Amino acid sequence: MFDLITEYLQSINPVLAAFYATVFTWLLTALGASFVFLFKTMSRVVLDGMLGFTGGVMVAASYWSLLAPAIEMSEGEGFVKVMPSVVGFLLGALFLFALDKVLPHVHINFKETEGVKSPWQRTTLLVLAITLHNIPEGLAVGVLFGGVAAGIPEASIAGAAILAIGIGLQNFPEGIAVAMPLRRMGMSRRKSFMYGQASALVEPVAGVLGALAVAFFTPVLPYALAFAAGAMIFVVVEEVIPETQQDKNTDIATLGFIGGFVVMMTLDVALG
């Protein structure tokens, strides 16, 4: 099945392939959000375990799918070879740090509002918070497909497809994490679903922009891969992990994190 997917993606324009791959990650978010049609609430234990899984996938993807290829394709030796990844990683983290301080948003627990003061409803602020997560994820998939378009040997369709699958797997609980709190607040099932899936609509946009940028300016690829990794790590440390520590389910969240890390590592090493 995986071979059929990669063969098809190889047969089309890599930028279009990036669009299809990020649409897939959005669909997994929508699938998670659709759980509001089946349940009104979800156990906090389950949610924390799912969020832990999300964090594990993101950390594993940041290294095996992004940082390792970025370092491998950089020229030079020693400090010279690692510098593009260092610069890109720092820029990615600082970019998300700036957005986190400027863009108004609220966390899943609805207890903390961050960014500039805004009259927007808390439901909108929650969607914006998850949208922040999805920008680097879409970008990560896009830049890998852009590297394929540019003919970079270290960038492969298989690697990009694996990353898309991993991002999709962790988007599923994110869709639940947005839609369920809204449903619990009394919002209709339909609106809760619409808000939940909308949080990932930015991924196809970021994916296509990332693919186009790398395809037309090849030297930026190591920086772009590390940029996406830095942004994803920032999200995990700043929001995903702290969110799982709000209740008494820290052990479940930790095991979920380990499980997500192992799944993504296995996918990348076994299929990449």
Side-chain angles (χ1 to χ4, degrees):
M1 181 64 180
F2 181 74
D3 290 339
L4 292 176
I5 293 173
T6 54
E7 285 178 12
Y8 173 72
L9 293 175
Q10 285 175 335
S11 69
I12 61 177
N13 183 286
V15 177
L16 183 60
F19 174 74
Y20 288 159
T22 46
V23 166
F24 165 78
T25 63
W26 163 75
L27 284 173
L28 266 291
T29 305
L31 181 62
S34 71
F35 269 49
V36 294
F37 294 109
L38 303 175
F39 311 100
K40 185 173 182 178
T41 60
M42 178 167 286
S43 166
R44 181 72 200 200
V45 175
V46 175
L47 183 59
D48 285 341
M50 286 184 170
L51 288 175
F53 180 88
T54 292
V57 169
M58 293 176 73
V59 170
S62 295
Y63 176 72
W64 271 279
S65 296
L66 300 172
L67 280 176
I71 294 171
E72 185 178 351
M73 67 181 62
S74 299
E75 298 179 353
E77 298 292 338
F79 287 108
V80 174
K81 187 174 183 63
V82 79
M83 268 304 121
S85 296
V86 170
V87 172
F89 189 89
L90 290 175
L91 289 176
L94 291 174
F95 174 72
L96 259 292
F97 174 80
L99 286 182
D100 189 66
K101 295 302 180 185
V102 174
L103 187 66
H105 61 284
V106 66
H107 295 279
I108 295 169
N109 56 33
F110 285 96
K111 296 177 182 178
E112 303 174 17
T113 301
E114 297 185 357
V116 298
K117 292 183 179 180
S118 170
W120 296 342
Q121 294 183 353
R122 294 176 74 80
T123 53
T124 303
L125 298 179
L126 174 61
V127 174
L128 286 175
I130 303 299
T131 300
L132 282 177
H133 296 193
N134 292 324
I135 292 174
E137 294 167 8
L139 182 64
V141 175
V143 295
L144 275 179
F145 279 104
V148 174
I152 305 297
E154 293 83 1
S156 67
I157 288 289
I162 291 165
L163 179 59
I165 292 171
I167 295 298
L169 287 175
Q170 63 94 33
N171 273 5
F172 176 76
E174 280 191 0
I176 296 175
V178 178
M180 282 298 181
L182 300 179
R183 176 62 181 151
R184 190 169 60 246
M185 289 173 58
M187 184 176 286
S188 70
R189 286 185 172 90
R190 181 177 176 277
K191 284 188 175 181
S192 298
F193 168 76
M194 293 303 293
Y195 274 110
Q197 61 83 30
S199 65
L201 287 175
V202 70
E203 289 196 8
V205 177
V208 169
L209 291 177
L212 287 172
V214 172
F216 285 103
F217 189 54
T218 305
V220 80
L221 182 56
Y223 296 91
L225 290 172
F227 180 97
M232 288 173 65
I233 293 296
F234 179 89
V235 166
V236 173
V237 177
E238 168 69 13
E239 299 193 15
V240 176
I241 291 178
E243 183 60 40
T244 66
Q245 308 300 305
Q246 296 293 325
D247 287 291
K248 299 178 181 180
N249 309 314
T250 56
D251 289 344
I252 298 298
T254 301
L255 291 174
F257 182 97
I258 293 171
F261 190 96
V262 169
V263 167
M264 188 64 209
M265 176 180 65
T266 302
L267 285 174
D268 213 308
V269 175
L271 300 178

